[in-house]
Amino acid sequence: MSIMTYRQALHDTLRAEMLRDQNVFLMGEEIGVFDGSYKITAGLLAEFGEKRVRDTPIAEEGFTGAAIGAAMLGLRPVVEIMTINFSLLALDQIVNHAAKIYGMFGGQAKVPLVIRTPGGGGQQLGATHSQNIELYYAFVPGMKVVAPSTPADAKALLLAAIRDDDPVLFLENLSLYNTKGEVPDDDTPAEIGKAAVTREGRDITLIGYSRMAHVASQVAEQLAASDGLDIEVIDLRSLRPLDRGTLIESVKKTHAAVVLEDDWLTYGIGAEIAATISDGAFDYLDAPVRRVAMAEVPLPYSKPLETAALPSADDVIGAIRQTLDAVGHRRR
Amino acid sequence: MLRPSASSDIRNDIRSTELLVQLLNPDGDRVPDPEFDHWVADVTGEQLRSLYEDMLVVRRIDTEATALQRQGELGLWPPLLGQEAAQIGSARALRADDFVFSSYRENAVAYCRGVQMGQLLAVWRGTALSGWNPFDVGMATPAVIIGAQTLHATGYALGCLQDGVDSVAVAYFGDGATSEGDVSEAMVFAASFQAPVVFFCQNNQWAISEPVALQAHRSIADRAPGFGIPSLRVDGNDVLAVMAATRIALDRARSGGGPTFIEAVTYRMGPHTTSDDPTRYRDPAELERWAAKDPISRLRAYLEHEGLLTEEFEASVKAKTDDVARELRAACLALDPPHALSVFDNVYTSAHSVLERQKSQYAAYLAMFEEVAE
């Protein structure tokens, strides 16, 4: 077990997988000479050479499509899209090709592609560079979408993504790159599609992923100290497949849930979580599932406006109190 | 029609390509070309006959498949009528270990790659997601998003570079596709990395109802040199010129010279698909002009001049095309519809919780009908 940053965990895992499997190679903008916009690929060009660490022309559709072709040949490309916002330029190749080739080829050609890309607001990058649009990909059959919140999960899920034979969108988060945590030394991949109960509790379930999984944990600790609340926290880790069982089992125990999401409320991922809970645990719910999401505006560059638009710990605490009020605190 | 002879080696030349390479004119006369001749100098009389047979066979496949669609046995068919030389001349230049990424009209290419009759029709009959295993024949299932496969070919070619093999990826696409960003991006990538890929554009003059002039203000082949890719513009109804150009491109790719762009100038004699009626937008006089440049009749005339068109040979070709038509029809009718539950197959390579749940629900639903039947 070592303590390291989320960034270091990603870097070390990429390197280890490239050493383990000659078929693993990297493509993306600025990932070689420049070490990557967020330095995840630092030093890999020098170590592995330009055939396995390819700086590409500035064309997301181009390198994503090329990676799909390489993956069909049997290589295991890991492409970096500088931020998830730029994945919109590769939408056709991801949705119409990466996700569908396996099926449209009758199960005869696999596309073992990993698209690494960070999302997340709060960095004052403006409306077009701060979005959380992972749900576009979580919507699509054929895709897998994973979103680690800790350095340990960054490692375990990246191992799983690279070794998976399906295309995986691997969601990173700008605000998490410098966060630290314990990372196991062994290289056991995570099971894609399994959520983690990161804190057990009886009073209410908080559900988040990526940055919002941290916010959920902070709020749970804070309310345990201030109000003596016993909050269960679920880190989704995988958006597709979604771990329906873990969500439903938790709500059967706590009878209430609040979903935290960094995207827009209407049609957002929280809507799917709420529907899943209603479907699987309706009779156990003592209050409607509440969702905490960002304001439905393009995220402003202005710091006070950006802060105002993003969901905060206070928003989550407010939602928990409203939910528990609706429950009537009958258990306390 | 003739390209003027150039002083430099055509294989390394990046230049304007408004003019057309032609080795066999519409009358079936062999037109000498000092730069292209040696690329087909080894083609024997027997091989010429074989190319002729190929073209007649694929025209018969096309005719029969169109008839099957009209009879309600296929949902749709995209005819290749008129493009036989472009497809046969190029596909017959390939090696087994090369890999084709095509669009939906390349049924003659598929035939050359060894795709079986039933496999050719399964998708159009709606009985399979993919007609064939791409790795058995070195040809991907057709891409139906225009131009997207050019990027896949480029990526495959990068893989060939990485593996250190001299296989070549060949992307087939049409004139309409060249307006798509994917094709431009594919050329950028192929040039940057000197990927062993051949961009084979069949300019058949029409993208459904849009004439090629809407896609390109001047010849499509002229675009490639702007990306740093050598370009050849050939008479796509001349099987020998197409074969020569393809061999030049393949040779360059195999020897580390990177990508080549080929524009094969041809004509879509039929509709875009069986759902289309080109008489609504096309001048019949244009059709007549192109009918006079038919790829099969010019090779037939050439065979005749060369004394290769014997009665015995013609009879054997006739027998072959009749057999193929019978085989195609029988294979089509023998394709069984898939089981409803298989709709959940082949979405992921391994078990997926959501799909398993939906599949078991649907299986239970289907089982209700079996209980009623009992």
Side-chain angles (χ1 to χ4, degrees), chain A:
Chain A
M1 196 77 87
S2 352
I3 304 281
M4 66 176 75
T5 61
Y6 188 98
R7 169 183 287 110
Q8 191 70 39
L10 291 171
H11 169 275
D12 291 0
T13 306
L14 280 178
R15 181 173 176 272
E17 286 296 277
M18 291 179 78
L19 287 170
R20 182 187 63 82
D21 183 351
Q22 292 292 310
N23 287 324
V24 176
F25 78 103
L26 314 182
M27 283 208 290
E29 296 156 356
E30 323 287 357
I31 66 165
V33 174
F34 193 65
D35 287 337
S37 287
Y38 298 101
K39 309 304 171 197
I40 308 300
T41 52
L44 297 181
L45 172 62
E47 182 171 359
F48 293 98
E50 59 186 19
K51 274 192 181 170
R52 295 190 64 201
V53 181
R54 278 189 192 272
D55 271 328
T56 67
I58 308 304
E60 288 78 8
E61 173 89 344
F63 65 74
T64 304
I68 290 167
M72 289 160 75
L73 176 74
L75 294 176
R76 306 191 85 85
V78 182
V79 304
E80 176 177 301
I81 296 183
M82 197 181 292
T83 83
I84 197 169
N85 304 278
F86 309 157
S87 73
L88 295 174
L89 291 155
L91 203 54
D92 178 65
Q93 285 292 344
I94 299 171
V95 173
N96 273 331
H97 304 282
K100 295 185 176 62
I101 279 174
Y102 183 66
M104 292 185 72
F105 278 56
Q108 297 170 130
K110 297 171 183 173
V111 183
L113 165 71
V114 178
I115 299 169
R116 285 185 40 245
T117 188
Q123 313 292 314
Q124 276 201 282
L125 292 171
T128 62
H129 285 51
S130 302
Q131 297 169 96
N132 291 282
I133 50 176
E134 52 274 16
L135 74 89
Y136 295 3
Y137 306 106
F139 180 61
V140 178
M143 287 301 297
K144 292 181 178 176
V145 179
V146 298
S149 69
T150 64
D153 272 356
K155 174 178 181 174
L157 282 167
L158 186 55
L159 287 171
I162 292 173
R163 297 177 190 185
D164 200 288
D165 280 342
D166 292 311
V168 181
L169 186 115
F170 186 93
L171 181 73
E172 300 168 8
N173 189 288
L174 298 180
S175 71
L176 296 181
Y177 280 141
N178 289 331
T179 58
K180 286 188 176 175
E182 287 188 341
V183 176
D185 295 327
D186 69 288
D187 62 345
T188 309
E191 183 184 341
I192 293 179
K194 286 301 283 184
V197 178
T198 55
R199 188 183 196 283
E200 290 198 15
R202 292 178 294 112
D203 292 339
I204 190 168
T205 302
L206 290 189
I207 301 155
Y209 65 93
S210 194
R211 179 180 88 90
M212 294 312 274
H214 287 270
V215 175
S217 295
Q218 286 159 15
V219 166
E221 294 305 324
Q222 186 182 331
L223 292 184
S226 62
D227 295 40
L229 283 176
D230 187 17
I231 296 177
E232 179 142 309
V233 177
I234 295 177
D235 180 350
L236 288 173
R237 301 166 87 225
S238 169
L239 301 178
R240 187 181 191 94
L242 183 65
D243 187 352
R244 178 185 164 87
T246 297
L247 293 172
I248 289 168
E249 285 314 305
S250 176
V251 172
K252 281 183 177 176
K253 180 173 68 172
T254 62
H255 307 281
V258 172
V259 187
L260 289 60
E261 54 189 317
D262 237 350
D263 60 355
W264 294 299
L265 188 80
T266 306
Y267 300 108
I269 280 173
E272 179 60 32
I273 307 295
T276 298
I277 292 170
S278 297
D279 180 51
F282 181 78
D283 290 337
Y284 295 84
L285 280 171
D286 288 340
V289 177
R290 284 190 173 275
R291 294 173 286 157
V292 178
M294 66 175 277
E296 300 211 21
V297 298
L299 198 64
Y301 172 77
S302 154
K303 193 63 191 171
L305 295 182
E306 184 183 47
T307 304
L310 287 171
S312 68
D314 282 347
D315 296 332
V316 178
I317 291 169
I320 292 170
R321 293 204 195 288
Q322 283 179 321
T323 305
L324 291 179
D325 282 348
V327 169
H329 293 276
R330 68 171 173 79
R331 295 186 304 276
R332 299 207 66 82

Side-chain angles (χ1 to χ4, degrees), chain B residues 66-93:
Chain B
T66 299
L68 283 164
Q69 193 281 334
R70 294 295 185 233
Q71 292 157 6
E73 300 293 348
L74 295 178
L76 189 75
W77 181 254
L80 60 80
L81 186 67
Q83 298 176 222
E84 294 86 353
Q87 294 192 20
I88 296 291
S90 55
R92 285 298 183 209

Side-chain angles (χ1 to χ4, degrees), chain A residues 51 54-55 59 61-63 65-66 69 72-73 93 97 102-106 108 142-143 165-166 240-241 244 279, chain B residues 129-130 132-135 140-141 145 148 151-152 155-156 159 161-162 182 185 188-189 193 346-349 352 357:
Chain A
K51 274 192 181 170
R54 278 189 192 272
D55 271 328
E61 173 89 344
F63 65 74
M72 289 160 75
L73 176 74
Q93 285 292 344
H97 304 282
Y102 183 66
M104 292 185 72
F105 278 56
Q108 297 170 130
M143 287 301 297
D165 280 342
D166 292 311
R240 187 181 191 94
R244 178 185 164 87
D279 180 51
Chain B
L129 290 160
S130 168
W132 60 87
N133 185 331
F135 303 106
T141 298
I145 296 286
L151 280 167
H152 304 159
Y156 191 102
L161 279 182
Q162 199 144 315
D182 280 20
E185 292 188 27
V188 169
F189 277 71
F193 300 124
N346 301 326
V347 182
Y348 292 96
T349 58
H352 185 286
R357 186 159 162 267

